[in-house]
Amino acid sequence: MRTNFTPAQLADPATAVAEAAIRKCVHCGFCLATCPTYVLLGDELDSPRGRIYLMQDMLENERAPTPEVVKHIDRCLSCLACATTCPSGVDYQHLVDHARAYVEQRYRRPLIDRMVRGLLAAVLPHPGRLRLALALARWVKPLAPLSKAVPPIAVMLEMAPDRAKPAPSSANATVLGAKGRVALLQGCAEPVLGPEIRQATVRLLNRAGYDVIFAPGEVCCGGLAHHMGRDSLDAARRNVAAWTREIEGQGLAAILTATSGCGVTLKDYGFMLRGEPAWADKAARVSGLAQDISEFLAGIEMPPVQPKGLTVAWHAACSLQHGQKITTLPIRLLEAAGFTVCAPANAHLCCGSAGTYNILQPEIAGKLGERKAASLDALAADVIATGNLGCSLQIGRRAGTPVVHLVELLDWAMGGPKPARLNP
Ligand code: SF4
Ligand code: SF4
């Protein structure tokens, strides 16, 4: 596609990346059928191709973002199904990232929107604050019907679990005669809302013969802020510094995450910090070591299994299948652990979780969540498994089938406890 950015505009590296993405789009429209918002809303402006038009016009002409343009960019889930489909290799991820940052810097959102986004950015990346916020939410949950006028607040109250879960240990977990040493991302929401995921991951890695360390100084990956167009470079630098100390100290075989949404961000640190000479090489090294837990487990010798005879409906998180292009590894791991695996219809479509999307766009997210839960329930499997906490929460609220993390099933099959959600 023809573009008319000026040399001065293209001197900005982020604009140059956006221009290259726009230029690659040939407007073939193949991406429309795989875009969840287009499938749901049927509006070209809520399709990848339509958004590319809008973003080009806004960025090329340096227009102030209008409410209409912001609406269509905000409705994008950043699920990257379009990037998987696109035959021209349009780098939609970095294009929409740049557009979101542009909007964030130049558009004054309505007061409620600003307040909700500010609250999410201030609370979610900090487990302590999130724990406190959820405790407060439990107190005011009975008032949830009164909050219907502000849907994001109503969704947050509705999502608050009835009981707090104990925090998982952040102590390094070592084994005698370890085959290697891996860092595990601690995450922000996961230890609060799904501590069983870290516990199962550590048991599994230890049993496979790997020391698991938690790097001092590590913070939230920055993905949630990034998704809202906010600056996440400080988080990236702090994590790169924390893991660089480990790499250059006792060494790391890999930097792992059991939340695939965070994995996309870790693997992007090299790109995000490419223009900062003090950080570029270190960030590229960290991104090179970053792996989803399924990638790492698929490449090592796993402990013997005790088959459980269950059928698993595999929900492929967008951040795994589209963001990291990991499609078959989790299924192969489950099958090797003795599970029968099936996949739902339209497995490529997002469940509507998408970082903070289910809070900021509750109506679209709710419809996508209902569709996904129905297609998974239709498989009549014993359990639904996924590799991303956000998907577990989004689907778990709607599906009749219990939802667990991939590592909980693998851990159980290899000598760990039965996942609590599978207990009657
Ligand atoms: S599939 Fe790719 S090239 Fe075709 S319209 Fe979509 S983004 Fe553009
Ligand atoms: S990232 Fe997902 S929601 Fe956004 S345009 Fe692409 S397919 Fe559509």
Side-chain angles (χ1 to χ4, degrees):
M1 173 174 170
R2 192 187 162 95
T3 63
N4 290 301
F5 286 85
T6 64
Q9 286 175 314
L10 295 176
D12 170 46
T15 305
V17 168
E19 190 270 347
I22 294 165
R23 196 160 21 89
K24 274 196 170 181
C25 176
V26 295
H27 294 274
C28 63
F30 287 173
C31 52
L32 270 64
T34 59
C35 172
T37 53
Y38 182 74
V39 169
L40 206 59
L41 304 168
D43 183 342
E44 168 82 20
L45 295 180
D46 286 313
S47 77
R49 186 172 62 183
R51 291 189 177 108
I52 290 172
Y53 275 127
L54 293 177
M55 290 188 279
Q56 177 177 12
D57 182 56
M58 179 178 75
L59 298 172
E60 203 171 62
N61 297 303
E62 298 184 19
R63 292 193 205 287
T66 63
E68 185 66 9
V69 170
V70 172
K71 177 178 81 176
H72 295 295
I73 294 175
D74 281 353
R75 282 182 178 170
C76 170
L77 295 131
S78 281
C79 67
L80 303 181
C82 49
T84 296
T85 315
C86 178
S88 298
V90 170
D91 180 2
Y92 188 86
Q93 177 186 355
H94 294 121
L95 171 59
V96 78
D97 281 353
H98 179 52
R100 288 192 204 283
Y102 184 96
V103 167
E104 194 61 24
Q105 285 158 17
R106 304 184 189 212
Y107 180 68
R108 190 166 171 80
R109 293 178 180 277
L111 179 64
I112 296 287
D113 199 7
R114 271 184 280 141
M115 286 172 62
V116 170
R117 285 168 179 266
L119 183 70
L120 292 173
V123 172
L124 284 182
H126 307 279
R129 292 182 201 171
L130 178 57
R131 210 171 276 284
L132 186 62
L134 290 175
L136 291 172
R138 276 190 283 277
W139 278 93
V140 296
K141 212 170 178 176
L143 303 177
L146 301 178
S147 64
K148 292 281 187 229
V150 187
I153 300 290
V155 172
M156 282 192 271
L157 290 177
E158 197 191 314
M159 285 175 68
D162 293 333
R163 262 193 300 266
K165 295 182 177 182
S169 170
S170 290
N172 293 347
T174 56
V175 288
L176 272 178
K179 296 175 188 164
R181 188 170 186 266
V182 296
L184 181 61
L185 175 75
Q186 302 191 49
C188 49
E190 187 196 283
V192 180
L193 296 168
E196 61 279 0
I197 298 171
R198 185 193 299 175
Q199 290 158 350
T201 307
V202 170
R203 281 193 301 266
L204 205 48
L205 288 165
N206 278 174
R207 219 179 287 121
Y210 286 83
D211 285 344
V212 183
I213 68 111
F214 299 98
E218 180 203 314
V219 294
C220 160
C221 71
L224 290 171
H226 196 59
H227 221 143
M228 291 193 284
R230 295 181 173 226
D231 183 24
S232 52
L233 294 178
D234 185 52
R237 289 186 206 102
R238 289 170 72 174
N239 284 336
V240 168
W243 287 319
T244 297
R245 283 191 292 273
E246 298 296 331
I247 295 166
E248 294 177 353
Q250 294 182 57
L252 287 179
I255 300 166
L256 304 179
T257 172
T259 303
S260 58
C262 307
V264 174
T265 308
L266 298 191
K267 290 180 177 181
D268 206 37
Y269 280 175
F271 177 88
M272 290 160 66
L273 296 173
R274 69 196 183 287
E276 301 187 20
W279 293 101
D281 289 347
K282 292 174 185 166
R285 184 167 57 175
V286 163
S287 287
L289 282 172
Q291 289 188 46
D292 183 74
I293 185 68
S294 62
E295 270 178 296
F296 186 75
L297 295 178
I300 63 172
E301 190 184 338
M302 296 290 281
V305 302
Q306 301 147 24
K308 303 300 176 190
L310 296 192
T311 300
V312 180
W314 171 246
H315 165 68
C318 296
S319 44
L320 203 57
Q321 62 170 330
H322 304 306
Q324 300 186 54
K325 307 289 181 234
I326 296 172
T327 52
T328 56
L329 294 181
I331 295 171
R332 284 193 352 227
L333 283 167
L334 284 166
E335 287 176 343
F339 296 98
T340 302
V341 185
C342 52
N346 296 315
H348 61 282
L349 288 181
C350 182
C351 68
S353 170
T356 53
Y357 191 94
N358 55 354
I359 296 170
L360 296 171
Q361 298 285 335
E363 197 179 330
I364 298 173
K367 288 179 181 162
L368 291 173
E370 294 298 334
R371 283 184 177 209
K372 184 61 74 179
S375 64
L376 286 160
D377 277 341
L379 296 168
D382 298 300
V383 56
I384 296 167
T386 184
N388 190 50
L389 174 73
C391 306
S392 302
L393 299 174
Q394 171 81 347
I395 297 166
R397 290 166 61 205
R398 298 173 169 87
T401 316
V403 186
V404 302
H405 194 286
L406 165 77
V407 293
E408 291 183 82
L409 290 179
L410 298 179
D411 177 47
W412 179 35
M414 293 170 193
K418 187 175 184 179
R421 283 188 201 85
L422 297 186
N423 287 321

